[in-house]
Amino acid sequence: MYLGKLTHWPQQRAVLPDAVNRALEALAAHDLNTMPAGRYEIDGDRLFFMIQEMITQPFDAGRPEAHRRYADIQLLLAGEEGFGVAAPDPGLAVVDDFYDSRDIAFYVTPANEQRLNLQPGDFVVFYPGELHRPGRCVGESMTIRKVVVKIDRALLGL
């Protein structure tokens, strides 16, 4: 996992994989606040982003998730978004496995889950296998606007 701020990203490029930098360059080239919700391709199914609008939910209402094929970059554009985060745990029980059809599985809550809150302009990178519980309330439920970038693991050399 990597936590950053889009305005500070140019100074942090050296520590990030080329595919992550490529994705952030593509985001920086768009006026994300005026684009409609939907999917936007950068490199077909290998690298694309989705602009999403949603209402945050209570922390305990969601389940941690992980992906096998894709890394996520989650960039908050408006509102406040909480996340649960945890390191991969091969022994953690899967509740719902949709890896084959949707590249996602939901897990029981790990004992070591931490909370992370994003403000507009903050982004977090989750690599394949890293557990995250997005879309959680920070205080009260609110509408948020965010970008989720999907990066095929092959572009990361994984």
Side-chain angles (χ1 to χ4, degrees), residues 54-158:
M54 65 183 64
I55 298 172
T56 58
Q57 301 296 314
F59 195 85
D60 293 333
R63 292 176 292 173
E65 64 184 56
H67 311 286
R68 284 188 183 153
R69 178 178 177 191
Y70 291 104
D72 281 1
I73 301 174
Q74 301 212 14
L75 166 66
L76 189 64
L77 300 174
E80 293 180 302
E81 182 180 17
F83 283 82
V85 297
D89 179 354
L92 196 61
V94 174
V95 175
D96 288 308
D97 184 341
F98 301 104
Y99 278 131
D100 292 337
S101 61
R102 297 179 18 221
D103 188 46
I104 193 168
F106 297 96
Y107 290 81
V108 298
T109 301
N112 64 339
E113 185 178 43
Q114 303 293 312
R115 293 187 185 196
L116 173 70
N117 296 331
L118 297 187
Q119 300 294 315
D122 293 342
F123 70 90
V124 61
V125 180
F126 295 107
Y127 294 97
E130 292 181 332
L131 295 165
H132 52 290
R133 187 189 318 214
R136 304 299 97 204
C137 297
V138 172
E140 59 187 51
S141 184
M142 69 175 63
T143 299
I144 62 170
R145 182 174 167 87
K146 66 190 280 183
V147 177
V148 177
V149 180
K150 294 292 192 174
I151 303 172
D152 190 294
R153 68 183 298 127
L155 295 176
L156 296 164
L158 301 176

